[in-house]
Amino acid sequence: MNDDAGYIRPELVCPAGTPAGLRAAIDAGADAVYCGFQNATNARNFPGLNFTPAELEQAIGYAHARGAKVLLAVNTFPSAGKFDLWREAVDYGARMGVDAVIVADIGVADYAARAYPNLRLHLSVQAGASSPEGIRFYCQEFGVKRVVLPRILTVSEIADIHRQIPCEIEAFIFGNIGMMAEGRCSLTNYVTGVSTNMDGVCSPAADVHYVEDADRNLTTRLGAVVIDRVACGEFAGYPTICKGRYVCGVKSGGYYAFEEPVSLNLSALLPDLMRAGVTALKIEGRQRSRAYVKSVVSAFRTAVDGVLAGRDPGLADLLALTEGHRQTEGAFRSKAWR
Amino acid sequence: MRGKVAEITLGPVLFNWNPDRWRDFYFRIADEAPVATVYLGEVICSKRGPFFEPLLETVAERLTAAGKTVVFSTLAQVMLKHDRRMVESVCASGESLVEVNDGSALLYMRGRPHHVGPYINVYNERTVAFLARGGARNFCLPVEIPAAVLGALCANTDSLGVTFEVQVFGRVPLALSARCYHARAHSRTKDSCQFVCENDPDGLELRTLDDGPFLAINGIQTLSHDYLNLISELSELEAMGISRFRLAPHTCDMVAIASIFRAVLDRHIDAREAAVRLDAMQVGAPFSNGFYYGKAGGSWTEAAID
């Protein structure tokens, strides 16, 4: 639907890590929520998170009664011999009537497309489709209806892609920003033996260590590897390899070789994204608290409605929710980020 | 090994080598290295393309004349216009073999015989079967796949008539990004990089704050600091049904490395002797094999050799 300012009303796609989080997101104004099962079939396979099949079924009822959609993330890569778990996840989703399944693996996409020709498929960011041709491959082969774009493109590049693909675009607007191309990173596995692609975990909590010395300087480690070290009172981010500080021969002292511990916040770019042809705006954070989800979703609901009504989005409050209270527009604003 | 002839292959040079070094390297490989297949082409950064492209034909001819099969590798990450054009042109040449490394190349090569590279996420039999129906003949598998999964993948795809390849030597590709970390280390951006990656022919080493060697940067790519070494696992891999063993090019003596791996496949020396010889090469970083054993990729497990 087009309004006078030329905007198409975007779908606000929000994280649902738990049934309570799902209700919070929907009550706060989410148009759609995304969630996963309690196993390796989704990319947020954390203890205490996600849904049992029974919980998902109830959640779908809650969402549909309120006009919201449920998108099921089955977006990791089954390893040989373990395909049944992913098949089962797709089967549950299809039978329960989820509004779409978010897939990344070619085998899973192939299964879902053949077994359930009417099931709507979204291509996960984990599939790493970053060019029109790459996206068209998945549209052509599996009838993918929407692609979740990697967080590496500028707004004008997104607009350009939009003109060259036959499916909808979903873009991240807020939350944790990984520095590496999603679905193409084995750094966690290199250090911990747990694979992000196969097991659905990045920087597993069991391998995270915070060590304080006598002067109260804090060292953060993942497994045996020092990720960062901060002086007493400074903010220490969760130890993620791509946001750590390292030393190399061409720089003096430690530096953030990949990215600083910042969060993505595209609130200022909302109007541009909406004009670029983005169908759905995605908020990251299935691992976050209900309170966090509620405030972020409400803020973006107000902002999106504001843009549609021709008002200033005004999202200053969101800074308090970003990592280390520091935010970035990442790749979206300009090529200089690269 | 189920009737498949075991081959040593040479993966594409991932680093920004000086064009003369790059050409001379391949000439020597053509003349001296016991490798059956050589992968050629720029996989990391389309900006580097113009340096090598004028030499590509000469190098490919020399390798072919020496009896090597030449396969052209495509870019691992494709997003910019330059990237897209580069992939399109590699895939457009109807006669040469292509190894695809991203979804756009999959689109171009669909229906024609091709190789699938290690940057395509191939973890299970269903993905192999799907891609094989589209023309994929050989799969170089992602480096993080452990032995148990490699075995299951081979066993479950036996009837498809495809071959499998795994990297057995060299720094391990771990991640790709849109951002150039070489440029960042030099306080530049990808667009203004001035090709600083050419200073580091094996990658720019990153150490942790407590001075432990950790990673190696290669433009938008992050690799391991240590070198993968699966010499002691070769016979196990062969027994699973993997028939092609990839060496990743480095500045160390790759002819010598290839000869050691070949000698083990030919049963001229045993794995223990080969391991000693590889240790003696002093490649400049420790060896690792953790991914194979389902452990942290950077770790080392002593193989149980009988």
Side-chain angles (χ1 to χ4, degrees), chain B residues 61 122 185 188 200 239 246 248 262 278 287:
Chain B
E61 276 170 13
V122 174
R188 296 174 190 167
D200 303 298
R246 176 174 293 204
R262 188 66 248 176
L278 285 173
F287 289 128

Side-chain angles (χ1 to χ4, degrees), chain B residues 17-31:
Chain B
W17 286 3
N18 167 293
D20 289 343
R21 168 192 281 223
W22 187 85
R23 180 200 54 213
D24 294 349
F25 170 77
Y26 282 115
F27 281 4
R28 181 160 179 245
I29 292 294
D31 294 345

Side-chain angles (χ1 to χ4, degrees), chain A residues 77-83 87 105-108 110-112 114 126-127 129-138 140-142 152-154 157 160-161 164 179-187 189-198 224-229 241-242 245-251 253-260 331 335-338, chain B residues 75-81 84 101-108 110 119-127 130-131 133 143-146 148-150 152-154 156 172-181 183-191 200 204-211 214-215 217 220 222-226 288 291 294-299:
Chain A
F77 298 86
S79 44
K82 296 180 185 166
F83 199 85
R87 188 197 317 265
D105 180 62
I106 287 173
V108 172
D110 179 49
Y111 171 70
R114 282 168 179 247
Q126 303 294 326
S130 53
S131 70
E133 292 77 20
I135 295 163
R136 285 210 295 268
F137 170 77
Y138 290 92
Q140 199 170 298
E141 300 300 335
F142 311 115
I152 59 178
L153 298 154
T154 64
E157 284 163 355
D160 207 36
I161 286 183
Q164 300 176 63
M179 277 313 298
M180 302 308 182
E182 293 88 349
R184 315 188 85 184
C185 176
S186 305
L187 287 169
N189 197 1
Y190 183 65
V191 169
T192 69
V194 176
S195 161
T196 307
N197 277 357
M198 292 183 278
V225 175
V226 171
I227 302 298
D228 204 355
R229 188 172 278 161
I241 296 168
C242 61
R245 245 185 303 199
Y246 307 99
V247 182
C248 82
V250 298
K251 262 203 149 44
Y255 77 112
Y256 291 105
F258 307 108
E259 178 59 294
E260 303 182 11
K335 291 197 296 177
W337 175 86
R338 290 175 192 144
Chain B
L75 277 179
Q77 178 156 286
V78 180
M79 49 185 288
L80 311 174
K81 282 202 177 74
R84 294 167 62 199
N101 282 315
D102 95 305
S104 72
L106 279 179
L107 182 81
Y108 288 126
R110 192 114 184 95
Y119 302 95
I120 300 280
N121 282 336
V122 174
Y123 288 92
N124 58 70
E125 51 278 51
R126 187 145 191 148
T127 298
F130 178 86
L131 293 173
R133 287 198 297 277
V143 290
E144 66 167 355
I145 298 187
V149 176
L150 292 174
L153 194 52
C154 291
N156 297 345
V172 173
L174 295 174
L176 296 164
S177 172
R179 177 179 272 172
C180 176
Y181 301 125
R184 182 173 169 86
H186 290 266
S187 307
R188 296 174 190 167
T189 69
K190 193 173 179 216
D191 281 351
D200 303 298
L204 172 63
E205 296 187 0
L206 278 189
R207 305 177 76 81
T208 57
L209 292 178
D210 61 348
D211 209 30
F214 183 31
L215 300 169
I217 284 171
I220 65 161
T222 305
L223 301 116
S224 63
H225 171 265
D226 40 55
S288 66
F291 284 136
K295 299 180 181 173
S299 63

Side-chain angles (χ1 to χ4, degrees), chain B residues 28 77 165 176 188 196 201 206 224 236 254 257 277 292 297:
Chain B
R28 181 160 179 245
Q77 178 156 286
E165 179 167 345
L176 296 164
R188 296 174 190 167
V196 284
L206 278 189
S224 63
E236 232 174 71
M254 293 306 295
I257 302 277
R277 290 193 197 177
Y292 183 81

Side-chain angles (χ1 to χ4, degrees), chain B residues 6-177:
Chain B
E7 287 185 2
I8 305 293
T9 71
L10 188 68
V13 171
L14 297 175
F15 307 100
N16 185 11
W17 286 3
N18 167 293
D20 289 343
R21 168 192 281 223
W22 187 85
R23 180 200 54 213
D24 294 349
F25 170 77
Y26 282 115
F27 281 4
R28 181 160 179 245
I29 292 294
D31 294 345
E32 300 175 42
V35 300
T37 298
V38 178
Y39 294 86
L40 278 186
E42 179 55 46
V43 170
I44 302 304
C45 179
S46 60
K47 287 180 71 177
R48 300 173 184 169
F51 297 116
F52 307 100
E53 275 154 12
L55 301 171
L56 208 52
E57 204 180 316
T58 315
V59 165
E61 276 170 13
R62 178 82 169 255
L63 288 163
T64 309
K68 320 287 187 204
T69 302
V70 172
V71 183
F72 294 91
S73 296
T74 67
L75 277 179
Q77 178 156 286
V78 180
M79 49 185 288
L80 311 174
K81 282 202 177 74
H82 282 306
D83 307 344
R84 294 167 62 199
R85 270 202 294 273
M86 203 165 157
V87 174
E88 192 182 7
S89 79
V90 173
C91 296
S93 54
E95 280 146 48
S96 38
L97 266 174
V98 172
E99 177 170 83
V100 306
N101 282 315
D102 95 305
S104 72
L106 279 179
L107 182 81
Y108 288 126
M109 295 308 294
R110 192 114 184 95
R112 282 191 283 157
H114 60 272
H115 288 214
V116 171
Y119 302 95
I120 300 280
N121 282 336
V122 174
Y123 288 92
N124 58 70
E125 51 278 51
R126 187 145 191 148
T127 298
V128 170
F130 178 86
L131 293 173
R133 287 198 297 277
R137 296 287 175 267
N138 181 73
F139 293 81
C140 185
L141 297 167
V143 290
E144 66 167 355
I145 298 187
V149 176
L150 292 174
L153 194 52
C154 291
N156 297 345
T157 54
D158 207 21
S159 59
L160 296 176
V162 298
T163 51
F164 289 107
E165 179 167 345
V166 293
Q167 183 179 333
V168 291
F169 177 84
R171 284 193 160 144
V172 173
L174 295 174
L176 296 164
S177 172

Side-chain angles (χ1 to χ4, degrees), chain A residues 19 36-38 49-59 92 96:
Chain A
F37 287 120
Q38 291 173 347
L49 216 60
N50 295 319
F51 290 66
T52 64
E55 285 169 348
L56 182 67
E57 193 152 32
Q58 280 189 345
Y92 274 129
M96 289 174 183

